[in-house]
Amino acid sequence: MTVAVLREDSVAAAASVDQQRLWDRLAAMAKIGAIPGQGVNRPALSPEDIESRALLLSWARTLGLAVSVDAIGNLFLRRAGLDPSAPPVMTGSHMDTQPKGGRFDGIYGVLAGLEALEAMDAAGVRTRAPIEVVAWTNEEGGRFPPCTMGSMVFAGARTVEDFAEVHDNAGIRLADALAQTLAATPDAARRPVAGPVAAYVEAHIEQGPLLESAALQVGAVTGIQGMRWFNVEVSGESAHAGTAPVSLRRDALREAVAMIAALRELTADPSDVTRFTVGRMLVTPNSPNSVPSHVLFSVDIRHPDRATIARLGEAVEPTCRAHARACTVTVTPTLHDDPTDFDPAIVGLVEAASGALGLPSMRLPSGASHDAMYLSRLCPTGMIFVPCERGVSHNEAENALPSDLAAGARVLAATLAELANR
Ligand code: GLV
Ligand code: MN
Ligand code: MN
């Protein structure tokens, strides 16, 4: 029994979502970059990323979707609409993972989008506007910081050139890895970065515990908290660990540790809303018996309140400087995302579609960042969350139920069909 808030063909599209097909595709993708413990390591612009792109394109071709790629490597799979001049409705997410990532973060949104299109085919649903499934490049930023790079470039917030010289931990330039990735899909038509978008809806696992605790299969996401990223580079001087008097050392790691302790104090929050993470540290020369001459560490701070994230972000550089004694320090901001509110009309549509399909939902904000954040600068945007086990993510053990993943894909199919028939 469905409520009459949806068009009949939107309901038909949702009903044609095939849980097993979606699950099988997720399993096939999980083999690319598989690591022990059911995890996946598929860094952006790596050979594994290239392999996952090839697999996605093989499915897209079977479905007769038109394939194109832009200069940052965002991949677009287009299902034609009845009005070819109408701006597309977009959906998607990312195929790259964290180094110790799981089988669902990102790839679920891409494959749920593909499933929605295949379900429309199966149900004979035509839409006025075209629908495009997008695999955004380098959402994770684990190999080439910062995160959400592909959608950021698409939204015009930065350019490809801005990121050309970003290096991974092995010293490989982003520009070189990107050129290799683009060369691997020679038959994808090149398209300009950007272009009009009618609306964007992204499906994702929640990566938190709220839906599971509430025993709900669907979350209508209201927005994304603000985030600031920095690279902090501390420079001192290498010396012999046995001979150099401690009082005379310019130990970059010792000072980096003091800076991190001070940043922890800065971000201490009894209400446990502020998120502060140092997740990456490169120590040079990284030898037990040499005093470290150089340390690079990352800072990731998040908060839902605009003024708070602004205040904390502004305090990072002075806090680090205050703890640079014998060493010098350089603080480089690498990401500045203000909190994002999604379009109330899209949040409402996700909620209504979910209810109409007999899937009770809740509204919830996103603690994690997503490509939807940058798309929201271009068009009405929203997200659909599904539960994941114990909220665990950025972890090999990340897990989700086939039935929950299919429920999210059903809501996505109906929402896309509605939006593309406006
Ligand atoms: C994306 O994975 C994030 O860091 O929120
Ligand atoms: Mn993700
Ligand atoms: Mn992630």
Side-chain angles (χ1 to χ4, degrees), residues 258-349:
M259 291 173 198
I260 293 168
L263 291 170
R264 278 193 64 182
E265 253 175 59
L266 169 76
T267 54
D269 176 2
S271 61
D272 206 6
V273 173
T274 308
R275 304 282 184 256
F276 166 68
T277 306
V278 174
R280 181 176 186 227
M281 183 176 274
L282 302 178
V283 179
T284 308
N286 208 18
S287 161
N289 46 356
S290 284
V291 172
S293 59
H294 190 263
V295 170
L296 181 153
F297 68 90
S298 61
V299 173
D300 174 321
I301 303 179
R302 309 192 194 198
H303 199 281
D305 174 61
R306 189 175 296 264
T308 306
I309 190 71
R311 175 178 61 76
L312 295 174
E314 295 322 306
V316 167
E317 178 161 359
T319 303
C320 292
R321 288 211 175 287
H323 290 82
R325 308 223 189 277
C327 298
T328 57
V329 65
T330 312
V331 180
T332 310
T334 54
L335 195 68
H336 182 155
D337 292 326
D338 285 328
T340 297
D341 292 323
F342 288 143
D343 189 306
I346 304 282
V347 181
L349 178 59

Side-chain angles (χ1 to χ4, degrees), residues 131-382:
I131 304 179
E132 293 188 348
V133 175
V134 192
W136 303 107
T137 295
N138 189 24
E139 190 275 349
E140 294 290 3
R143 178 184 183 195
F144 294 112
C147 60
T148 49
M149 197 182 275
S151 50
M152 193 186 302
V153 170
F154 184 78
R158 302 287 292 274
T159 65
V160 185
E161 292 69 36
D162 289 341
F163 299 121
E165 297 305 324
V166 176
H167 287 63
D168 70 6
N169 290 348
I172 297 172
R173 285 169 73 232
L174 178 135
D176 296 331
L178 176 58
Q180 269 182 0
T181 305
L182 289 172
T185 52
D187 44 354
R190 279 302 279 268
R191 60 183 273 156
V193 173
V197 186
Y200 179 76
V201 184
E202 175 169 351
H204 207 283
I205 57 165
E206 181 198 333
Q207 306 180 279
L210 300 179
L211 288 172
E212 189 182 60
S213 318
L216 292 171
Q217 288 188 297
V218 178
V221 186
T222 51
I224 297 182
Q225 67 178 339
M227 166 157 81
R228 302 286 296 265
W229 274 21
F230 300 86
N231 277 340
V232 181
E233 292 187 67
V234 188
S235 296
E237 188 177 28
S238 192
H240 193 292
T243 60
V246 170
S247 59
L248 297 182
R249 291 182 184 186
R250 298 177 60 220
D251 183 335
L253 184 53
R254 189 174 62 184
E255 296 196 9
V257 167
M259 291 173 198
I260 293 168
L263 291 170
R264 278 193 64 182
E265 253 175 59
L266 169 76
T267 54
D269 176 2
S271 61
D272 206 6
V273 173
T274 308
R275 304 282 184 256
F276 166 68
T277 306
V278 174
R280 181 176 186 227
M281 183 176 274
L282 302 178
V283 179
T284 308
N286 208 18
S287 161
N289 46 356
S290 284
V291 172
S293 59
H294 190 263
V295 170
L296 181 153
F297 68 90
S298 61
V299 173
D300 174 321
I301 303 179
R302 309 192 194 198
H303 199 281
D305 174 61
R306 189 175 296 264
T308 306
I309 190 71
R311 175 178 61 76
L312 295 174
E314 295 322 306
V316 167
E317 178 161 359
T319 303
C320 292
R321 288 211 175 287
H323 290 82
R325 308 223 189 277
C327 298
T328 57
V329 65
T330 312
V331 180
T332 310
T334 54
L335 195 68
H336 182 155
D337 292 326
D338 285 328
T340 297
D341 292 323
F342 288 143
D343 189 306
I346 304 282
V347 181
L349 178 59
V350 167
E351 199 170 48
S354 183
L357 297 173
L359 299 164
S361 64
M362 69 187 275
R363 292 187 174 214
L364 78 178
S366 176
S369 179
H370 298 286
D371 295 303
M373 186 174 55
Y374 278 96
L375 270 291
S376 75
R377 298 185 180 193
L378 299 179
C379 62
T381 292

